[in-house]
Amino acid sequence: MTHYWASLFGGLLIGLSASLLLLLNGRVAGASGIVGRLLLARASTNAAFVIGLLIGPLLFLAGFGHWPSVTITASLPMIAAAGLMVGFGSRMGSGCTSGHGVAGLARLSPRSFVAVLTFLSAGGATVTLMRIAGL
Amino acid sequence: MNLQTLRLLAALVSGGVFGFGLSLSGMLDPARVRGFLDVAGDWDPSLAFVLAGAVAVAMLGTLLSKRMKRPVLDQAFHLPPDTGIDRRLVLGSALFGIGWGMAGFCPGPALASLTLGLAPSFLFVAAMIAGMTLHDRCFAGVTRCIGSPS
């Protein structure tokens, strides 16, 4: 039961972060867009956001005395292929779980609704097929 | 403090809250993410609460922003243009979803997880940046691919 509360509170904080960036800087808190602009060497605020993102797990460590759990089961070639697809796809689709999934849905953007339904379905199908194939 | 310094600080704090929220929520854990996506199997619905909580609070922020002429630290809101639902949106999101399901990582959590120093996180982020660069250099538009951006 406790991990449901942790998920809910974590989600509320993610929403707070998106609201802060929108109300203060007028920007969408979308991780793939921020990294994309960082790669194009635009606006140092993108770098500041990424540094904050990296500090996040340290704050968790400071507060709870242990690292957040990160269990990666996929093989390294699978990880590399997945990373390529996530990077390419998030740029092609103009957003990812944060930009479309949080900020976009909160704005009631029709594009984001389509994106979220598409990536949830594709992700669900992929996990199911991999389980059936024993991967 | 000038405006740009304040904007940097705002982005840093926003990123920090985001990273802490990801850590607390379980989104940082690919095994949990894959369990959430495995609707037909041993489904772990807890991460739906992350999305619900995040969207609810972000919606309040959005409503508040509509009552403001401009953000506190900038001249105007910088929102993505509504370009309609097209093939790029659907194909890109599908590709993204397949990768997300394979590894259990999406861009924000993958970046935040670098702090834990796990080798697969570094490999994922390197591949993700390669994928983004490949798209932005060569597939963002034919003209951009021919006339390479500086």
Side-chain angles (χ1 to χ4, degrees), chain B residues 20-127:
Chain B
F20 180 78
L22 286 173
S23 306
L24 181 64
S25 70
M27 278 296 290
L28 215 56
D29 192 349
R32 287 274 297 279
V33 171
R34 298 191 78 240
F36 168 67
L37 289 171
D38 198 6
V39 181
D42 188 15
W43 190 40
D44 170 9
S46 59
L47 295 190
F49 287 79
V50 184
L51 187 67
V55 172
V57 177
M59 212 171 242
L60 290 178
T62 303
L63 288 174
L64 203 57
S65 77
K66 294 205 164 145
R67 293 168 164 269
M68 295 160 66
K69 287 203 178 71
R70 57 185 190 87
V72 179
L73 302 173
D74 206 340
Q75 300 305 315
F77 287 101
H78 308 274
L79 295 176
D82 184 6
T83 49
I85 292 150
D86 53 15
R87 201 157 53 169
R88 291 175 49 82
L89 178 76
V90 177
L91 268 177
S93 299
L95 207 54
F96 169 83
I98 294 170
W100 189 34
M102 281 165 66
F105 264 145
C106 52
L111 282 170
S113 79
L114 289 177
T115 302
L116 279 78
L118 305 166
S121 297
F122 284 90
L123 177 62
F124 184 90
V125 170

Side-chain angles (χ1 to χ4, degrees), chain B residues 4-21:
Chain B
Q4 179 59 13
T5 311
L6 288 171
R7 276 198 289 265
L8 284 172
L9 207 59
L12 182 70
V13 170
S14 170
V17 173
F18 203 106
F20 180 78

